[in-house]
Amino acid sequence: MTGSTVRPPAYQVLADELRADITSGRLQPGERLPPEPELCVKTGVSRSTVREALRLLASQHLIITTRGVTGGSFVSHPDAEQLADGLTAGFTLLTNSADVGLADVLELRRALEVPASGLAAMRRTEEHLIEIRSTLFDPEVDDFDTMLAAHAAFHMAVAKATGNPLFELVVRPLYHASYGEDVTVDLPADYWTQIDADHRQMLDLLALRDVEAAGRAAGRHIDYISSSTREPEVTPQYGG
């Protein structure tokens, strides 16, 4: 006797079909989905099933549902901040596993942020510079949580300044995921002073539109973080 295949619930099947229409472009951002009664007739499911499918798509930021005479369900316009929520969960899951550590995260940061800094130097606007400058902190005054949040905001603002929303989408989860290993223990005494200095230098280079120097500064910044958070090597001790 062979094992039976469990069929997913009807709302999941409908949500999958609508999601495919959205992600393939058959349904464009801002386009209205068929009304609930029409979806019921078209798919042969109950209204409660349709509503559950729409709620699922709304929770995934794929549609927005409004009420009233002109209301309905509409395909969302892509938003990097919202779409990154799903990636953040995946990053957290992986980084809390035994297979992915801080070195892997920093390797990915280097691959993303070095070219992103160059693009930001090339494409940044005055509004981008204002946003990046607003993320700077004072290591002599601000507490740890404030500096950690400012560090994340700085790099997300640089990603935004590339003008390529895909950079913003992929960089954002790096700073919202929670990591299993405690990387804040035994940091150098001047760690946050150096981070602040790096940020200010990178901002100056973005303002100057110095593409190559901005990329090099981003690389040195990650090198410093890597050397400061690397686990110390243990030297074997041998008895006499």
Side-chain angles (χ1 to χ4, degrees):
M1 181 177 179
T2 59
S4 59
T5 301
V6 178
R7 179 176 173 80
Y11 79 87
Q12 180 71 65
V13 174
L14 176 57
D16 290 345
E17 291 174 355
L18 292 172
R19 186 185 301 106
D21 287 339
I22 294 170
T23 56
S24 68
R26 287 191 291 271
L27 287 172
Q28 292 290 311
E31 188 172 346
R32 182 175 181 170
L33 272 64
E36 290 180 5
E38 185 177 328
L39 284 173
C40 292
V41 173
K42 180 179 178 181
T43 60
V45 298
S46 67
R47 193 154 189 170
S48 61
T49 297
V50 168
R51 288 178 175 173
E52 189 64 27
L54 296 178
R55 276 194 291 268
L56 178 58
L57 294 176
S59 72
Q60 297 169 344
H61 308 296
L62 292 173
I63 65 169
I64 297 174
T65 299
T66 61
R67 302 301 175 189
V69 178
T70 61
S73 294
F74 300 85
V75 178
S76 300
H77 290 273
D79 180 275
E81 182 173 353
Q82 291 181 336
L83 294 175
D85 290 346
L87 287 178
T88 299
F91 268 83
T92 300
L93 182 63
L94 283 172
T95 53
N96 281 316
S97 73
D99 298 327
V100 177
L102 179 61
D104 300 297
V105 174
L106 291 174
E107 185 174 73
L108 178 59
R109 280 192 58 182
R110 176 182 295 278
L112 291 170
E113 294 180 17
V114 171
S117 295
L119 286 173
M122 183 188 305
R123 300 172 178 172
R124 75 7 173 226
T125 64
E126 289 303 315
E127 289 74 18
H128 288 137
L129 292 179
I130 292 170
E131 181 175 358
I132 295 169
R133 190 172 291 110
S134 73
T135 69
L136 298 176
F137 58 86
D138 184 347
E140 299 296 326
V141 175
D142 292 322
D143 60 23
F144 173 81
D145 289 339
T146 298
M147 293 186 293
L148 191 64
H151 177 259
F154 176 89
H155 289 284
M156 287 187 289
V158 172
K160 183 178 179 180
T162 66
N164 182 339
L166 294 178
F167 272 104
E168 189 179 359
L169 172 64
V170 179
V171 166
R172 182 173 289 275
L174 288 172
Y175 295 97
H176 281 79
S178 59
Y179 300 109
E181 54 186 301
D182 188 351
V183 300
T184 65
V185 176
D186 297 328
L187 290 174
D190 63 345
Y191 178 81
W192 288 107
T193 299
Q194 184 61 51
I195 294 297
D196 173 58
D198 286 353
H199 285 185
R200 292 177 187 275
Q201 180 189 37
M202 291 168 66
L203 175 59
D204 288 343
L205 294 171
L206 294 182
L208 292 171
R209 297 191 186 276
D210 193 330
V211 175
E212 293 185 3
R216 289 195 299 269
R220 288 193 300 270
H221 179 60
I222 295 172
D223 285 342
Y224 176 73
I225 294 173
S226 178
S227 65
S228 299
T229 55
R230 184 181 298 123
E231 292 183 354
E233 295 183 4
V234 178
T235 302
Q237 301 294 321
Y238 300 99

